[in-house]
Amino acid sequence: MEQITTDDFQIIDNCLMIRLPEEIDHHGAGFICENADRLLCREEVKNIVFDFENTRFMDSSGIGIIMGRYRKISCFGGRIYAIHADRQIRRVLRISGLERIVEVLEA
């Protein structure tokens, strides 16, 4: 199982792009939050894009990651997007109510 690294965080045109790992659970959640928050504070970021291309599993930690970043970015009028979300990830977003704050894009 691959781990998320700092290479999985990129800023492109005022968007923070986060390529998420195969499994999003409490083990990796802290690393994702810390790196995202550091970049949000340091760079001029307007929106966050979560890339779920490699993700096959997400528990409540993933929901927490998204909610926490939404709270920070929405203060500045920013938006949260998801790309490459498979059926399972879309289901988690729907059941958790996150689909109201996360715009799922077809990549």
Side-chain angles (χ1 to χ4, degrees):
M1 182 175 63
E2 41 84 40
Q3 293 296 313
I4 190 165
T5 67
T6 54
D7 292 342
D8 294 313
F9 296 81
Q10 291 185 322
I11 294 179
I12 303 168
D13 296 333
N14 294 348
C15 280
L16 172 56
M17 306 282 295
I18 303 173
R19 187 174 46 231
L20 295 167
E22 186 177 337
E23 293 187 7
I24 305 169
D25 56 22
H26 73 279
H27 294 295
F31 180 81
I32 296 168
C33 292
E34 287 167 22
N35 279 282
D37 291 350
R38 182 175 45 79
L39 291 168
L40 287 175
C41 292
R42 210 177 62 195
E43 307 287 338
E44 241 179 81
V45 173
K46 299 252 188 302
N47 301 300
I48 302 173
V49 178
F50 290 100
D51 184 347
F52 287 95
E53 185 170 20
N54 300 322
T55 307
R56 300 295 159 251
F57 172 80
M58 180 171 79
D59 67 8
S60 61
S61 301
I63 295 167
I65 291 168
I66 295 168
M67 283 297 301
R69 288 349 89 210
Y70 171 75
R71 280 199 285 279
K72 291 178 189 286
I73 202 85
S74 64
C75 294
F76 307 106
R79 310 263 325 256
I80 300 277
Y81 299 93
I83 59 173
H84 302 121
D86 67 13
R87 203 174 89 231
Q88 184 66 22
I89 298 300
R90 287 173 187 256
R91 184 172 180 269
V92 171
L93 295 174
R94 187 179 66 252
I95 290 171
S96 66
L98 283 179
E99 68 179 5
R100 292 191 302 269
I101 62 169
V102 176
E103 188 173 337
V104 179
L105 303 176
E106 302 300 326

